[in-house]
Amino acid sequence: MKYNNIEYTECDEVYPPAEDTFLLIDNLEVKEDEEVLEIGTGTGIVSIAASYTAKNVTCVDINPHAVKCAEKNIELNNRNNINVFESDLFENIDLKYDLILFNTPYLPVTEEEHDSSDDYSKAWDGGLDGRQVIDKFIEQVGEYLKNSGRVQLIQSSLSNNNKTIEYLNNHGFNAKISASEHQFFEDITLITAKKIE
């Protein structure tokens, strides 16, 4: 399969690239010589897109199947400035980055639907209000950004965009919706936030 100049393979147990993935790729704000981190890389194609401009890219996923899938797609595109490994959010991260990307698990999921043993569902399961992972990410992300670093995250109007912007602003960022796309019963939104020095 192909998106723009990126070839990729979809893998079992890994969230396939969809409208939210492409919205992030199409609006990436990567500058030359920057160090980029992607949380929840899935197939790796967002990191691959970023790697054409960035100095280097680190990408992580909680799902071990996604790590293998991303490795396969990185090799398929002959990218040698991407490092990929398993991590639950920032659990195994110890550096600071210029830009952090995250296509968040943003769908509200009932307790009956939630399955903590299912690696695949972790890509979209955002807990009861769709904010379980988003809020945890915002609480931690500032520690892993360089001064005046930036965050670009994807979420849905179903998980309260205004709350995310307010929460980011309260955690030392200047945040705004920088792109959105209407899908069926929701708006997929890209929120870009700059760390205030």
Side-chain angles (χ1 to χ4, degrees), residues 99-155:
L99 176 64
I100 296 179
L101 308 168
F102 191 17
N103 185 353
T104 68
Y106 52 70
L107 287 181
V109 171
T110 64
E111 284 183 34
E112 293 75 39
E113 294 171 311
H114 174 72
D115 180 2
S116 59
S117 64
D118 178 22
D119 288 328
Y120 185 46
S121 68
K122 289 173 185 169
W124 69 80
D125 182 345
L128 286 174
D129 60 358
R131 301 199 53 81
Q132 191 175 326
V133 181
I134 293 170
D135 289 344
K136 193 174 169 189
F137 170 81
I138 293 171
E139 283 164 17
Q140 299 174 11
V141 68
E143 297 171 41
Y144 299 92
L145 276 174
K146 297 178 185 178
N147 289 343
S148 70
R150 301 168 328 281
V151 173
Q152 289 192 284
L153 70 85
I154 294 281
Q155 73 165 76

Side-chain angles (χ1 to χ4, degrees), residues 3-4 18-30 36-41 45-47 49-50 99-104 151-155 178-181 188-192:
Y3 186 73
N4 292 350
E19 289 79 12
D20 49 5
T21 317
F22 304 137
L23 184 67
L24 182 52
I25 288 174
D26 292 344
N27 293 280
L28 281 174
E29 293 184 8
V30 185
V36 176
L37 169 66
E38 185 192 8
I39 302 286
T41 194
I45 72 166
V46 172
S47 284
L99 176 64
I100 296 179
L101 308 168
F102 191 17
N103 185 353
T104 68
V151 173
Q152 289 192 284
L153 70 85
I154 294 281
Q155 73 165 76
S178 50
S180 68
E181 189 173 300
I188 304 295
T189 53
L190 171 62
I191 294 173
T192 301

Side-chain angles (χ1 to χ4, degrees), residues 54-82:
K55 181 180 179 183
N56 55 59
V57 180
T58 297
C59 58
V60 300
D61 205 293
I62 193 172
N63 179 353
H65 301 286
V67 172
K68 289 190 181 78
C69 188
E71 284 172 344
K72 193 185 297 183
N73 285 321
I74 289 162
E75 196 174 317
L76 186 63
N77 289 274
N78 298 313
R79 304 309 298 152
N80 57 14
N81 62 338
I82 307 176

